[in-house]
Amino acid sequence: KADSVSAATPTEEMNGAGNLMDFLDEPFPDVSTYEDFHTIDWLREKSRDTDRHRKITSKSKESLWELIKSLLDAWSGWVVMLLIGLLSGTLAGVIDLAVDWMTDLKEGVCLSAFWYSHEQCCWTSNETTFDDRDKCPQWQKWAELMTGHAEGAGAYVLNYFLYILWALLFSFLAVSLVRVFAPYACGSGIPEIKTILSGFIIRGYLGKWTLLIKTVTLVLAVSSGLSLGKEGPLVHVACCCGNLFCSLFSKYSKNEGKRREVLSAAAAAGVSVAFGAPIGGVLFSLEEVSYYFPLKTLWRSFFAALVAAFTLRSINPFGNSRLVLFYVEYHTPWYMAELVPFILLGVFGGLWGTLFIRANIAWCRRRKTTQLGKYPVLEVIAVTGITALLAYPNPYTRRSTSELISELFNDCGALESSQLCDYVNNPNMSRPVDDIPDRPAGPGVYNALWQLTLALIFKIVITIFTFGMKIPSGLFIPSMMAYHHHDWIIFKNWCRPGADCVTPGLYAMVGAAACLGGVTRMTVSLVVIMFELTGGLEYIVPLMAAAVTSKWVADAFGKEGIYESHILLNGYPYLDVRDEFTHRTLATDVMRPRRNDPPLAVLTQDSTTVEDVETLIKDTDYNGFPVVVSRESERLIGFVQRRDLTLAIKNARQKQDGVVSSSVVYFTEDAPQLPASNPQPLKLRRILNLSPFTVTDHTPMETVVDIFRKLGLRQCLVTRSGRLLGIITKKDVLRHMAQMMNQDPESIMFN
Amino acid sequence: KADSVSAATPTEEMNGAGNLMDFLDEPFPDVSTYEDFHTIDWLREKSRDTDRHRKITSKSKESLWELIKSLLDAWSGWVVMLLIGLLSGTLAGVIDLAVDWMTDLKEGVCLSAFWYSHEQCCWTSNETTFDDRDKCPQWQKWAELMTGHAEGAGAYVLNYFLYILWALLFSFLAVSLVRVFAPYACGSGIPEIKTILSGFIIRGYLGKWTLLIKTVTLVLAVSSGLSLGKEGPLVHVACCCGNLFCSLFSKYSKNEGKRREVLSAAAAAGVSVAFGAPIGGVLFSLEEVSYYFPLKTLWRSFFAALVAAFTLRSINPFGNSRLVLFYVEYHTPWYMAELVPFILLGVFGGLWGTLFIRANIAWCRRRKTTQLGKYPVLEVIAVTGITALLAYPNPYTRRSTSELISELFNDCGALESSQLCDYVNNPNMSRPVDDIPDRPAGPGVYNALWQLTLALIFKIVITIFTFGMKIPSGLFIPSMMAYHHHDWIIFKNWCRPGADCVTPGLYAMVGAAACLGGVTRMTVSLVVIMFELTGGLEYIVPLMAAAVTSKWVADAFGKEGIYESHILLNGYPYLDVRDEFTHRTLATDVMRPRRNDPPLAVLTQDSTTVEDVETLIKDTDYNGFPVVVSRESERLIGFVQRRDLTLAIKNARQKQDGVVSSSVVYFTEDAPQLPASNPQPLKLRRILNLSPFTVTDHTPMETVVDIFRKLGLRQCLVTRSGRLLGIITKKDVLRHMAQMMNQDPESIMFN
């Protein structure tokens, strides 16, 4: 039969594939395996890695040196994890110290050593009790330093003015650095990292420059007082570290699939240092950012997260040998009845999450589509100015957000100088500290509550405008800020007769968890992070109750969290594992060509000329072409990548005699013997993928979506009883899903 | 063309499928969807659930009642989780209390109330300090009760004798109950649960009877003093609860895929109550037992695990409002230099793990293949007798294992009566308790060490014979037992000068983690479980070091953990996600028919008679048959399940006039109009799966294995350029993998 393909023994085929590897690996430095903004093929990456592994294993039996090399290769994964842990822990420590110092620099300077932060400055001045903390002689506010007057309206205005000036300077520096050196260093980075981990290529997003600039500008942005946190960007920084160390080992640098395993672990390390929660970090990576997370990665992520946490701890940026500023330990139990306010907090968190996502996305869309987006520097300057202007008068917004959270989470001690703890003291001071709620609240408490409410509203509004600006910005901490403190007053009345009473800090923490849950839709990882912050199983039920409620409430208004919304907004080709596809469409409805389209661009196994192929490559931008027996029978024999085809033809034209435009391209096992007068055939079977993925036209789309997700395919061919009918790419799947959800399919932009 | 299949619109097809569902759902009660000891098709289960969901969603718009029903359906998952948590927590509490009482019953009885355990008995007798704990008048040993003499050789012998008698009675009861009522209630159950979760059907393994008998016999077996733990069986018990509650909701009871989601969560709840570690439980389920673990299940598992843990805590079986008997809190830090012994413990753990697995598997194989296996009752009695005989003289083996672990894990307090804490007291008793290591060890300590060493050897040997016997048996606790206490002496010398010293309990815990890691090859979940037991991040590094070392050492000798080894031993069709397939074989090497086999059993779309089909069904035991256009062209159009075929023919012969043996079966869209004299055709397109999974013959087996794993396939058809060549089933894949690893492929027994 003319259209049959003779059988090849496996070894022969495989050797062909082996040669292909050598020949295509780096033939022309300008053609990389995947193009920028394209999707990788997970199955192909995996089988490339298996090939590499097989080669090393078989070589390792040859000599001792090869054996050592194979052992080093096996251990390189752990070495990379160790390095990631060390570097991201160190960077987190440096960032923490720098933010501390620069935040205080907005208010004043340490005379004994200008590189000391307020707290460090007053530590050295040996005379500090808790009350005197704010008044140590070495630390001078700017007004005091410049005019000699520490008090009075003039000094206040001067301090206010300088505070704004510093803030503007920091944010201007930040936005300029980002614009000039590393445009990818802006934003939280988590939506992009999610997309990259799902198999998308964004060159330079995790590069060295991005790492450097993101670290510096993150410090500047947080210090400028903008309503943003360092947690999301820390994940980006850690992933940059991961990418950096990948380049040390060809195992990871040359395989996009293996590289993503390292990046998943790096994300875990990033969350680990951001919250001091290694287990939470691993679960965050598993639940929120990672796509393909084999068990081996779980174990390694945990290792990286632990190393990072302990590196940070040995740097000890907060001087309390804890991993985070707001580590807390509560000792009072909670009561069943308190579940009601916790659930209410959950509802509030869910509503806030929905509101925040909608408002933020609307604002970002406006920024993208209108004139506004053209002046990012101006926008940052304006928002910083407004933030600083409004923040200074309120002591709760003047300070850095993490300091504020730390104060709110903590219980009041008897020695606490905070306004929130300004209860009327009983003369009987021998009573234990836990009894504070028995005392009536002093004027300071009401004052503080009023200020906190204002702070809450201010933060809610300003964060909507801040997230998405062209500087590094994270969401975690601002979200945590939006807690709900009013319950407190209600409960004060309720529990005054009792001896034990509610823990205000616990409410702040539950509120924070609820808001964070509403915004990001994290679940287990959120509870575990909070659990690691408090260090006790006691409060896991309140946290769980709030997190569950918050997610339910928020999900009722829209399934996407903030990161998914930003992915959608940017049109990244992200196939969410959580979306359930429930429509009744079939592969035939999604495949191209559509009804009135021109026929599918295919190659035949033995009747296409080099010129035809070149024309096809020039005229289309497809990533690959199916190869069929003949145009009449349309029986599929394989799939050939555009890149391999381009390279092979380029190569053949340069090196192989007799290959001209009219040469026939053969994908069959053996090319026929042609008379010498005919142009030499070009044999390309070795670049033909003989196992393309196929589904039948009757396959339900839910199965197709499942296959794309689980196997990480780039494209899939559609057949009916052996005949090729069409092709479905990941982009087609995403567009179809968008269409089914009544969204604009054109919003999916990349391949 | 004769062999073409005309296109059908999707809706039309789908309606056909809808009718099929109604018609095949429960047509004949004796034919269930899957047969016992067969593998399920995950993709099919998933698409059935989506169909169900679609039906409910579309109905919910019709009336308020349907809306409520759809809401109930959406919530049923959470309800099931809640019920599982409540029941498994309660059962764990009851088991703990009963084991406590029955273990003490072997030694004596409480006079004031015979249902009190030793500890409860002496609680009520208000006169207990720690020293007097063992001597309260209400509690009488058997000899004292029967003869009036509490001391002396006679009393000792009598107590010894009665101890053995009770033990024999308990274990005889246990083994008899298991044999008579629920043969599946024996063993740890984890290997089988892993297999079931991977998509295998073992009817009755998680049934009501198994639940009841397993709960009762677990108490008996643990109380009899056999070297087994209740942790593995608790997972089995929790899974039985899960299965029980599945039957309340058709969503879960009628869908084997959804049912497995619930079982995964139940396994998490089981570990949660066994160790008081909800997060560890979820990770255990994720890492060790589950196969298909979507994120939704993660969140629900966590919920079930928390509910279970808190139910257990409110039952409070240990009277300390902790979840486990051996909850500990250490306060001394550890030093970098201590990592060396921790790593040595890891090496020991790994070696012990390897040794244990090899010896236990060898013993179990001998039991399976020789006369030994025919006398399970005798075997249990003999092992119990030997255990009791050898255990009684040594105080460390006489008590229940969990009590012993609790003692070993804990630091010595000043008031501790344990021999291990028999340090020579300084006259200066005002020194803090932490300073104990400064004091020289008393004779009791050396005595205790000697006894502990004996206990260690005894436990190691006896556990090998115990695990795998025909009674409920768990491994966790016995593995934990095999810690290493000798370092202790070495370090006593090293640190005597220092003020702070090593924590012996920590060594016991790290050793336990190492041994457990070596035996089960758990990683993250092990560290997290241990972390939740100690409740502090402090000791996570030692635990991690030991766990990593132990796994590496053990993996060097063989990849399989104890559960995988038992799965292999029993020949279950379990496709481990962790095994990397690195061989260069292709689909064509694995598919059937092999070279000299008869051709593949196929049906043709329009030329097979009912009789042919019936003969084919009778002559073969395949689960399904591919349908091709014609025997000449061999172009695949679909796949038909054996069960559907049997049912459809049975149905047609009963209800449809004119269908006789010579009727032609049509799988095409339309059957031709035949003259009335011809037998009526039988149209079976509606039972034809038009989207069978295919790969080409050139697909590397690593890809095929990956597809089987990730999509949970049952079989896959092999084609070359549209022609059907053969079929690969899960069993073929497993046999091929066994062959490649130089194992006997015939050891894979089930389909």
Side-chain angles (χ1 to χ4, degrees):
Chain A
K1 296 169 190 170
D3 61 356
S4 79
V5 179
S6 68
T9 64
T11 341
E12 187 187 326
E13 282 306 316
M14 278 307 194
N15 288 345
N19 294 342
L20 163 66
M21 282 296 156
D22 301 340
F23 147 70
L24 284 177
D25 244 4
E26 311 250 346
F28 303 101
D30 56 321
V31 187
S32 57
T33 320
Y34 296 102
E35 280 166 63
D36 204 2
F37 297 109
H38 274 64
T39 300
I40 69 167
D41 185 335
W42 286 91
L43 269 183
R44 189 179 164 210
E45 295 302 298
K46 189 163 182 191
S47 95
R48 279 182 55 212
D49 184 62
T50 316
D51 279 343
R52 202 193 55 82
H53 189 73
R54 261 199 294 254
K55 212 179 279 172
I56 288 178
T57 314
S58 68
K59 260 193 191 168
S60 73
K61 283 158 197 153
E62 287 168 14
S63 71
L64 188 68
W65 173 232
E66 291 293 341
L67 182 70
I68 292 170
K69 258 170 61 180
S70 83
L71 284 178
L72 282 180
D73 180 77
W75 280 74
S76 60
W78 291 96
V79 174
V80 169
M81 293 302 140
L82 181 70
L83 291 173
I84 289 172
L86 290 174
L87 185 59
S88 52
T90 311
L91 284 177
V94 169
I95 289 171
D96 282 337
L97 288 173
V99 165
D100 236 31
W101 175 66
M102 286 177 64
T103 304
D104 289 342
L105 196 65
K106 288 191 297 182
E107 294 196 48
V109 73
C110 187
L111 292 184
S112 51
F114 73 90
W115 58 87
Y116 278 168
S117 72
H118 190 160
E119 204 172 338
Q120 288 165 325
C121 188
C122 296
W123 266 345
T124 48
S125 79
N126 275 331
E127 51 189 297
T128 13
T129 67
F130 260 81
D131 285 319
D132 296 334
R133 185 186 168 279
D134 289 344
K135 301 153 204 153
C136 70
Q138 275 83 355
W139 180 262
Q140 292 211 336
K141 292 201 172 182
W142 292 112
E144 193 178 353
L145 191 72
M146 289 158 85
T147 65
H149 299 289
E151 308 287 324
Y156 185 84
V157 170
L158 187 58
N159 277 330
Y160 198 169
F161 177 71
L162 283 167
Y163 180 91
I164 296 174
L165 217 63
W166 278 113
L168 291 175
L169 177 68
F170 291 161
S171 69
F172 176 73
L173 268 176
V175 71
S176 313
L177 282 172
V178 166
R179 273 182 73 78
V180 175
F181 294 105
Y184 284 141
C186 69
S188 115
I190 292 185
E192 283 79 12
I193 287 170
K194 278 188 82 156
T195 313
I196 290 175
L197 287 176
S198 83
F200 193 56
I201 306 267
I202 310 182
R203 290 208 191 291
Y205 198 85
L206 302 173
K208 285 189 267 302
W209 271 111
T210 311
L211 173 61
L212 184 70
I213 297 298
K214 184 118 192 180
T215 310
V216 172
T217 53
L218 174 58
V219 171
L220 287 167
V222 173
S223 310
S224 76
L226 279 169
S227 178
L228 41 80
K230 59 184 169 28
E231 283 62 24
L234 270 179
V235 174
H236 188 178
V237 166
C239 283
C240 289
C241 297
N243 199 38
L244 185 71
F245 292 124
C246 274
S247 60
L248 297 181
F249 300 92
S250 67
K251 180 178 179 180
Y252 295 106
S253 62
K254 288 196 182 157
N255 191 305
E256 294 291 338
K258 294 297 277 180
R259 187 201 293 272
R260 276 158 184 74
E261 287 181 19
V262 173
L263 296 181
S264 287
V271 175
S272 166
V273 287
F275 293 102
I279 302 172
V282 173
L283 287 173
F284 177 82
S285 176
L286 171 72
E287 191 189 356
E288 191 65 21
V289 296
S290 294
Y291 196 77
Y292 171 66
F293 203 89
L295 283 174
K296 221 160 120 190
T297 311
L298 185 72
W299 190 210
R300 290 190 179 169
S301 303
F302 192 51
F303 178 71
L306 267 183
V307 172
F310 277 84
T311 309
L312 178 59
R313 194 163 98 161
S314 52
I315 293 175
N316 196 5
F318 305 111
N320 56 0
S321 79
R322 292 299 181 187
L323 292 166
V324 281
L325 187 52
F326 35 93
Y327 178 92
V328 276
E329 257 183 271
Y330 300 132
H331 299 284
T332 18
W334 56 275
Y335 302 96
M336 273 296 165
E338 288 189 73
L339 276 180
V340 177
F342 292 144
I343 287 172
L344 285 178
L345 277 176
V347 174
F348 170 79
L351 291 176
W352 147 245
T354 308
L355 174 81
F356 175 80
I357 293 173
R358 298 236 171 132
N360 181 253
I361 290 294
W363 182 249
C364 288
R365 180 161 291 133
R366 166 172 286 258
R367 185 187 290 131
K368 274 184 90 154
T369 50
T370 63
Q371 289 288 314
L372 188 69
K374 298 200 178 127
Y375 308 104
V377 179
L378 215 65
E379 188 197 355
V380 170
I381 295 286
V383 173
T384 316
I386 294 167
T387 309
L389 197 70
L390 294 177
Y392 191 82
N394 188 334
Y396 289 102
T397 48
R398 191 191 305 171
R399 277 175 298 167
S400 78
T401 320
S402 29
E403 255 180 74
L404 171 55
I405 290 180
S406 155
E407 182 178 327
L408 291 174
F409 278 11
N410 272 300
D411 272 350
C412 290
L415 293 172
E416 205 75 59
S417 64
S418 154
Q419 257 199 324
L420 272 175
C421 297
D422 178 22
Y423 292 93
V424 179
N425 274 325
N426 267 335
N428 177 6
M429 270 301 283
S430 67
R431 297 179 67 182
V433 175
D434 286 1
D435 275 355
I436 285 176
D438 269 355
R439 292 177 278 153
V445 174
Y446 293 108
N447 195 5
L449 279 180
W450 176 235
Q451 286 173 342
L452 270 175
T453 313
L454 278 181
L456 173 64
I457 296 166
F458 166 67
K459 285 272 175 183
I460 286 179
V461 174
I462 206 77
T463 308
I464 291 171
F465 294 99
T466 310
F467 188 74
M469 283 200 310
K470 293 276 169 226
I471 47 171
S473 55
L475 244 190
F476 283 124
I477 291 262
S479 302
M480 281 190 164
M481 255 302 300
Y483 50 86
H484 197 58
H485 246 276
H486 303 283
D487 298 272
W488 199 11
I489 296 184
I490 302 163
F491 276 87
K492 186 95 12 75
N493 299 324
W494 172 62
C495 66
R496 202 166 288 163
D500 277 334
C501 192
V502 295
T503 317
L506 179 62
Y507 280 77
M509 171 160 278
V510 170
C515 293
L516 199 49
V519 172
T520 63
R521 311 292 160 86
M522 287 152 66
T523 53
V524 182
S525 46
L526 175 66
V527 175
V528 173
I529 286 173
M530 288 293 180
F531 156 73
E532 285 186 86
L533 284 180
T534 52
L537 271 179
E538 312 288 317
Y539 300 105
I540 217 165
V541 171
L543 287 170
M544 181 97 185
V548 169
T549 322
S550 151
K551 191 173 152 66
W552 279 339
V553 170
D555 276 353
F557 292 101
K559 282 277 176 202
E560 286 96 20
I562 185 77
Y563 301 129
E564 288 81 39
S565 301
H566 273 262
I567 286 174
L568 268 181
L569 181 72
N570 291 322
Y572 296 130
Y574 182 73
L575 194 53
D576 200 334
V577 279
R578 275 171 291 189
D579 282 344
E580 306 233 350
F581 186 87
T582 53
H583 303 281
R584 280 190 162 194
T585 44
L586 298 179
T588 187
D589 306 327
V590 180
M591 70 176 191
R592 283 176 306 167
R594 300 297 171 84
R595 286 202 177 181
N596 303 314
D597 284 356
L600 189 66
V602 294
L603 301 173
T604 54
Q605 66 175 358
D606 52 7
S607 59
T608 321
T609 63
V610 169
E611 197 178 4
D612 292 343
V613 175
E614 283 172 335
T615 317
L616 193 63
I617 289 175
K618 221 176 66 196
D619 291 351
T620 63
D621 58 351
Y622 303 134
N623 283 318
F625 306 94
V627 178
V628 293
V629 171
S630 69
R631 282 190 198 279
E632 292 72 46
S633 84
E634 287 182 325
R635 283 159 54 156
L636 179 72
I637 64 159
F639 191 81
V640 62
Q641 297 283 331
R642 177 201 191 84
R643 169 183 174 261
D644 297 348
L645 209 53
T646 318
L647 283 179
I649 290 179
K650 194 171 168 187
N651 210 27
R653 283 207 183 243
Q654 277 178 12
K655 297 180 189 158
Q656 207 174 320
D657 284 337
V659 170
V660 291
S661 296
S662 59
S663 295
V664 175
V665 175
Y666 281 93
F667 290 103
T668 48
E669 201 86 22
D670 304 294
Q673 286 302 319
L674 297 171
S677 61
N678 283 29
Q680 280 300 302
L682 175 57
K683 288 188 275 181
L684 288 184
R685 191 178 175 84
R686 51 186 182 167
I687 65 163
L688 183 64
N689 174 8
L690 288 164
S691 53
F693 223 86
T694 57
V695 294
T696 66
D697 59 337
H698 278 93
T699 312
M701 269 312 284
E702 66 191 65
T703 308
V704 176
V705 171
D706 222 41
I707 293 171
F708 267 87
R709 262 181 208 152
K710 289 195 179 148
L711 301 179
L713 295 184
R714 227 179 156 189
Q715 73 273 317
C716 179
L717 299 168
V718 183
T719 60
R720 183 197 298 152
S721 46
R723 283 171 200 284
L724 179 67
L725 289 186
I727 188 168
I728 297 179
T729 63
K730 191 168 173 185
K731 194 179 179 178
D732 295 328
V733 172
L734 284 163
R735 286 195 165 165
H736 179 70
M737 287 173 79
Q739 210 169 6
M740 286 288 132
M741 286 187 287
N742 297 319
Q743 288 162 350
D744 176 22
E746 294 311 309
S747 64
I748 312 295
M749 296 198 296
F750 305 101
N751 261 307
Chain B
K1 294 168 189 171
D3 60 354
S4 79
V5 179
S6 69
T9 63
T11 343
E12 186 187 326
E13 282 305 316
M14 278 306 191
N15 287 346
N19 293 343
L20 163 66
M21 282 295 155
D22 300 340
F23 147 70
L24 283 177
D25 244 3
E26 312 249 347
F28 302 101
D30 55 321
V31 186
S32 56
T33 319
Y34 295 103
E35 280 166 63
D36 205 2
F37 296 109
H38 274 65
T39 301
I40 69 166
D41 186 334
W42 286 90
L43 270 183
R44 191 179 163 213
E45 294 302 298
K46 191 165 180 187
S47 94
R48 279 182 55 212
D49 183 61
T50 316
D51 279 342
R52 201 194 55 84
H53 189 73
R54 261 198 295 255
K55 213 179 280 173
I56 288 178
T57 315
S58 68
K59 260 195 192 167
S60 73
K61 283 159 198 152
E62 285 167 15
S63 70
L64 188 68
W65 172 234
E66 292 293 340
L67 183 69
I68 292 169
K69 258 169 62 179
S70 82
L71 285 178
L72 283 180
D73 180 77
W75 280 74
S76 60
W78 291 96
V79 174
V80 169
M81 293 301 139
L82 181 70
L83 292 173
I84 289 173
L86 290 174
L87 185 60
S88 53
T90 310
L91 284 177
V94 170
I95 289 172
D96 282 337
L97 288 172
V99 165
D100 236 31
W101 175 67
M102 287 177 66
T103 304
D104 289 343
L105 195 65
K106 289 191 297 181
E107 295 196 50
V109 73
C110 187
L111 292 185
S112 51
F114 74 92
W115 57 86
Y116 277 169
S117 72
H118 190 162
E119 203 173 336
Q120 288 165 326
C121 187
C122 297
W123 267 346
T124 47
S125 78
N126 277 330
E127 50 190 298
T128 13
T129 66
F130 262 80
D131 286 318
D132 296 334
R133 185 185 168 280
D134 289 344
K135 302 154 203 150
C136 69
Q138 275 84 356
W139 180 261
Q140 292 212 334
K141 291 201 171 182
W142 290 114
E144 194 179 352
L145 191 71
M146 288 158 85
T147 65
H149 298 288
E151 308 286 325
Y156 185 85
V157 169
L158 186 58
N159 277 329
Y160 198 169
F161 177 72
L162 283 167
Y163 180 90
I164 296 174
L165 216 63
W166 278 111
L168 290 175
L169 176 68
F170 290 161
S171 68
F172 176 73
L173 268 177
V175 73
S176 313
L177 281 173
V178 166
R179 272 181 74 78
V180 175
F181 294 105
Y184 284 141
C186 70
S188 115
I190 292 185
E192 283 79 13
I193 288 169
K194 279 187 80 157
T195 314
I196 290 175
L197 286 178
S198 83
F200 193 56
I201 306 269
I202 309 181
R203 291 211 191 289
Y205 198 85
L206 302 173
K208 285 189 266 306
W209 270 109
T210 312
L211 173 60
L212 184 69
I213 297 298
K214 185 120 193 179
T215 310
V216 173
T217 53
L218 174 58
V219 171
L220 288 166
V222 172
S223 311
S224 77
L226 280 167
S227 179
L228 41 81
K230 58 182 168 35
E231 283 65 21
L234 270 180
V235 175
H236 189 176
V237 166
C239 283
C240 290
C241 298
N243 200 38
L244 185 71
F245 291 124
C246 273
S247 59
L248 296 183
F249 300 93
S250 68
K251 179 178 179 180
Y252 295 105
S253 63
K254 289 200 181 152
N255 191 305
E256 294 291 338
K258 295 296 278 181
R259 186 201 294 270
R260 275 156 184 76
E261 287 179 20
V262 173
L263 295 180
S264 288
V271 175
S272 167
V273 287
F275 293 102
I279 301 173
V282 173
L283 286 172
F284 177 82
S285 176
L286 171 71
E287 190 188 357
E288 191 64 22
V289 296
S290 292
Y291 196 78
Y292 170 65
F293 203 89
L295 283 173
K296 220 159 120 189
T297 310
L298 185 73
W299 189 210
R300 291 191 179 168
S301 303
F302 191 52
F303 178 71
L306 267 182
V307 172
F310 277 82
T311 308
L312 178 58
R313 195 163 99 163
S314 53
I315 292 175
N316 197 4
F318 305 111
N320 56 0
S321 77
R322 294 297 182 187
L323 292 165
V324 281
L325 189 51
F326 34 94
Y327 178 93
V328 277
E329 257 183 273
Y330 301 131
H331 299 284
T332 19
W334 56 275
Y335 302 98
M336 271 298 164
E338 287 188 76
L339 274 181
V340 178
F342 291 144
I343 286 171
L344 284 178
L345 277 177
V347 174
F348 170 79
L351 291 176
W352 147 245
T354 309
L355 174 82
F356 175 80
I357 292 173
R358 298 237 170 132
N360 180 255
I361 290 294
W363 182 249
C364 288
R365 180 161 291 133
R366 167 171 288 258
R367 186 186 293 131
K368 273 186 90 150
T369 52
T370 63
Q371 290 288 316
L372 189 67
K374 298 198 178 128
Y375 308 103
V377 179
L378 216 64
E379 187 196 354
V380 170
I381 296 286
V383 173
T384 315
I386 294 167
T387 309
L389 198 69
L390 294 176
Y392 190 81
N394 187 335
Y396 288 103
T397 48
R398 191 190 307 170
R399 276 175 298 167
S400 79
T401 320
S402 25
E403 256 180 72
L404 171 55
I405 291 181
S406 156
E407 183 178 326
L408 291 173
F409 278 11
N410 272 300
D411 273 351
C412 289
L415 294 173
E416 205 74 61
S417 65
S418 157
Q419 257 197 325
L420 273 173
C421 298
D422 178 22
Y423 294 93
V424 179
N425 275 323
N426 268 334
N428 176 7
M429 270 299 283
S430 68
R431 296 179 65 182
V433 175
D434 285 2
D435 275 354
I436 285 176
D438 269 356
R439 293 178 277 155
V445 173
Y446 294 107
N447 196 6
L449 278 180
W450 177 235
Q451 287 174 340
L452 270 177
T453 313
L454 279 181
L456 173 65
I457 295 165
F458 166 68
K459 284 275 174 182
I460 286 179
V461 174
I462 205 75
T463 308
I464 291 171
F465 295 99
T466 311
F467 188 72
M469 283 198 312
K470 294 275 171 227
I471 47 171
S473 54
L475 243 190
F476 284 121
I477 290 262
S479 302
M480 280 190 164
M481 257 301 300
Y483 49 86
H484 197 59
H485 247 277
H486 304 284
D487 300 271
W488 198 12
I489 296 183
I490 302 164
F491 275 87
K492 186 95 11 74
N493 302 324
W494 171 62
C495 67
R496 202 165 288 161
D500 277 334
C501 191
V502 294
T503 318
L506 179 61
Y507 280 77
M509 172 161 276
V510 170
C515 293
L516 199 49
V519 172
T520 62
R521 310 292 159 84
M522 286 152 67
T523 55
V524 182
S525 46
L526 176 65
V527 175
V528 173
I529 286 173
M530 289 293 179
F531 156 74
E532 285 185 86
L533 284 179
T534 53
L537 270 179
E538 314 287 317
Y539 301 105
I540 216 165
V541 171
L543 288 169
M544 180 97 184
V548 169
T549 323
S550 153
K551 190 174 155 64
W552 279 339
V553 169
D555 276 353
F557 292 101
K559 282 277 176 200
E560 285 97 20
I562 185 75
Y563 300 129
E564 287 81 37
S565 303
H566 273 261
I567 286 174
L568 268 181
L569 181 73
N570 291 324
Y572 295 131
Y574 181 74
L575 194 54
D576 199 336
V577 278
R578 274 170 294 189
D579 283 343
E580 305 235 351
F581 186 87
T582 53
H583 304 281
R584 280 190 165 195
T585 44
L586 298 180
T588 186
D589 306 328
V590 180
M591 70 178 191
R592 283 176 306 167
R594 300 298 171 83
R595 282 193 185 192
N596 304 315
D597 283 358
L600 188 66
V602 294
L603 301 174
T604 55
Q605 66 176 0
D606 52 6
S607 59
T608 322
T609 62
V610 169
E611 197 177 6
D612 293 343
V613 175
E614 284 173 334
T615 317
L616 193 64
I617 289 174
K618 222 177 65 196
D619 291 352
T620 63
D621 58 351
Y622 304 134
N623 282 318
F625 306 94
V627 178
V628 294
V629 172
S630 68
R631 282 190 199 277
E632 294 71 47
S633 84
E634 286 183 325
R635 282 159 54 157
L636 178 72
I637 64 157
F639 191 82
V640 63
Q641 297 282 331
R642 177 200 191 85
R643 169 186 175 261
D644 296 348
L645 209 52
T646 319
L647 283 180
I649 290 179
K650 196 170 167 186
N651 210 27
R653 280 203 184 247
Q654 278 179 10
K655 297 179 191 159
Q656 207 173 321
D657 284 338
V659 171
V660 293
S661 296
S662 59
S663 295
V664 176
V665 175
Y666 282 93
F667 290 102
T668 49
E669 201 85 22
D670 303 294
Q673 285 301 320
L674 298 170
S677 60
N678 284 27
Q680 279 300 305
L682 176 56
K683 289 188 273 179
L684 288 184
R685 190 177 177 85
R686 53 186 181 166
I687 65 164
L688 184 64
N689 174 7
L690 288 164
S691 53
F693 224 85
T694 58
V695 294
T696 67
D697 58 336
H698 279 93
T699 311
M701 269 312 284
E702 67 192 64
T703 307
V704 176
V705 170
D706 223 42
I707 293 171
F708 266 88
R709 263 182 208 150
K710 290 193 178 149
L711 301 180
L713 295 185
R714 224 176 158 192
Q715 73 273 317
C716 178
L717 299 168
V718 183
T719 60
R720 184 196 298 151
S721 44
R723 281 170 201 286
L724 179 68
L725 290 186
I727 189 169
I728 298 179
T729 63
K730 191 169 173 185
K731 192 180 180 180
D732 295 327
V733 172
L734 284 163
R735 286 197 165 166
H736 179 69
M737 287 172 80
Q739 210 169 7
M740 286 288 132
M741 287 188 286
N742 297 318
Q743 289 163 350
D744 176 21
E746 294 311 310
S747 64
I748 312 295
M749 295 196 297
F750 303 100
N751 260 309

